[in-house]
Structures are given as structure tokens and as C-alpha cells.
Amino acid sequence: MSERALRGTRLGATSYETDRGIDLAPRQTVEYACRNGHRFEMPFSVEAEIPPEWECRSCGVTALLVNGEGPEEKTTKPARTHWDMLMERRTLEELEEVLAERLAVLRSGAMNIAVHPRDNRKSA
């Protein structure tokens, strides 16, 4: 009889074990809601730390915990601009001095500014 019980089934494809006689870990059900109006419940262990957000089962948008604290806001540093990096290296007085030197060089004509190569091709 036991030979016939396995006939016609793929061995290893299905489990013949049952949940009878097994004590599951204590669980709690937590409800989440997304901004598109979908609400769903997720089971967690009583000992587990409950995440404040979870991916919505229906639309994939981030859903927030119902009647819970929102996610912690992450502190982000503002983007550093070129001006910020320049001011880390020099003071305003130093920059004004460098600007005055460069303007004096340009006005004196000491800096030989060649005509751009593309401009030569146009005139030829």
C-alpha cells in the first residue's frame, strides 16, 4: 500500500509534513497603509522590531505603519557648491587680491591671448 501512495507524484516536489503538533512562535499582526488607499496586514513575531514602512502588496509604493510612529528622518548634508569649496581654501580678501592681479595682467596686455584656432579657419 505504501508503494502506491507515492506512485504518480514527484518526489521532493511536495512536502507530506503537516503543521499538526507544532507550536508556532507568538505572532502579532501589523497594519500598513499606502498613499494610494491600499491597506494590508503583515504578521510579525512578538519579539521582532516592527519596521515603520513596508512595500505595498498591490502597487509597490512605500506604505506606512497605521497608528505608529513614522520613519526617522535622515539628516542629509547640503550639497557643496564650487563657491563653498573655494571659500574653504581662501578668504574673501585673498580672492579679491587674486582677481585684481589677474585683471591687471589682462589690461596690461602682458598675457598673449592667441586667436582661437577655429577663428583662423573661418577667415582662411
Side-chain angles (χ1 to χ4, degrees), residues 46-123:
V46 174
E47 301 169 355
E49 184 179 331
I50 307 300
E53 53 189 23
W54 197 267
E55 184 178 319
C56 179
R57 291 178 168 181
S58 302
C59 60
V61 174
T62 302
L64 299 176
L65 184 64
V66 175
N67 298 329
E69 296 179 13
E72 295 179 13
E73 292 189 28
K74 298 177 183 174
T75 57
T76 57
K77 295 191 323 187
R80 286 178 43 198
T81 63
H82 294 291
W83 180 253
D84 295 333
M85 290 184 266
L86 184 63
M87 293 307 291
E88 288 174 5
R89 296 190 309 267
R90 301 189 186 249
T91 64
L92 212 52
E93 292 80 24
E94 290 175 332
L95 290 173
E96 288 175 358
E97 185 179 324
V98 170
L99 177 63
E101 289 174 9
R102 300 311 299 166
L103 285 174
V105 169
L106 284 173
R107 289 180 181 143
S108 70
M111 188 175 192
N112 186 6
I113 301 176
V115 178
H116 197 273
R118 289 186 202 157
D119 294 338
N120 291 339
R121 278 187 253 144
K122 291 178 185 175
S123 61

Side-chain angles (χ1 to χ4, degrees), residues 15-40:
S15 174
Y16 293 102
E17 293 183 24
T18 62
D19 291 338
R20 278 185 258 152
I22 297 175
D23 292 330
L24 298 175
R27 298 174 188 221
Q28 61 180 332
T29 304
V30 180
E31 187 176 14
Y32 289 93
C34 77
R35 65 174 178 251
N36 294 331
H38 304 120
R39 294 177 81 91
F40 58 94

